[in-house]
Amino acid sequence: MELPNKNITKLTFVKLAKESEDLLTENYIQSFKLKVKPSNDELLNIYENEKTYIWNMKENSCTYNWFQVDEIPYPHTLAILKEMNQDSYDYCSEFFTKETMIARYQAMIYPISNQSNWNIPTKIKEILVLPP
């Protein structure tokens, strides 16, 4: 049985699964609204309107915290990566890659037939299961 999502995923020329690629693209566009200025050798300030976030280069972390939680670059992270000429894909979790998406569909899943067609032994049918 061919799985349509697996075939669609194989045909894409991006590194991430579609939803993740779309999120990364949207975040990249939003990152242009942010300004980045170094604070010192380890810290960079990210300015968004009236708010300021701090990126710690040594720990690869941001006070915005979404990057540490989701492991996909958000606008604040992308603003820093653009400033440092880094590839944003290098900062995405392996979970979001196209290869991981394909691996999800590797195992064959067999659908079960209609319950009326099941051959259930009498011994099993007689077991009384009470609700919790």
Side-chain angles (χ1 to χ4, degrees):
M1 178 168 99
E2 276 300 309
L3 302 169
N5 288 344
K6 181 178 177 182
N7 292 334
I8 290 168
T9 304
K10 282 183 178 178
L11 294 174
T12 62
F13 297 101
V14 293
K15 293 183 180 182
L16 304 179
K18 182 181 178 348
E19 295 84 9
S20 302
E21 190 72 41
D22 291 347
L23 177 62
L24 191 65
T25 300
E26 180 61 32
N27 290 342
Y28 184 75
I29 292 167
Q30 290 179 18
S31 74
F32 284 99
K33 299 175 187 174
L34 306 174
K35 300 218 184 306
V36 176
K37 291 187 179 178
S39 179
N40 59 38
D41 288 343
E42 286 184 15
L43 304 176
L44 296 167
N45 292 327
I46 306 140
Y47 299 98
E48 177 184 34
N49 300 326
E50 306 280 317
K51 298 177 185 173
T52 302
Y53 301 95
I54 299 170
W55 176 266
N56 186 322
M57 292 176 56
K58 189 175 182 181
E59 298 174 9
N60 273 345
S61 64
C62 179
T63 55
Y64 194 62
N65 284 332
W66 282 15
F67 175 67
Q68 293 92 293
V69 174
D70 291 342
E71 295 184 47
I72 190 165
Y74 278 84
H76 303 84
T77 310
L78 289 167
I80 296 294
L81 296 177
K82 283 189 316 192
E83 191 77 17
M84 297 168 40
N85 294 318
Q86 297 289 316
D87 186 355
S88 58
Y89 292 108
D90 293 339
Y91 292 82
C92 293
S93 169
E94 188 177 304
F95 175 77
F96 299 110
T97 63
K98 183 173 75 168
E99 289 74 24
T100 301
M101 175 66 87
I102 291 170
R104 285 184 206 148
Y105 293 98
Q106 289 291 51
M108 182 60 73
I109 301 171
Y110 297 99
I112 56 173
S113 63
N114 190 314
Q115 188 174 357
S116 63
N117 297 333
W118 293 359
N119 183 12
I120 303 171
T122 307
K123 183 178 177 182
I124 302 296
K125 281 184 181 179
E126 292 173 350
I127 297 174
L128 178 62
V129 178
L130 299 173

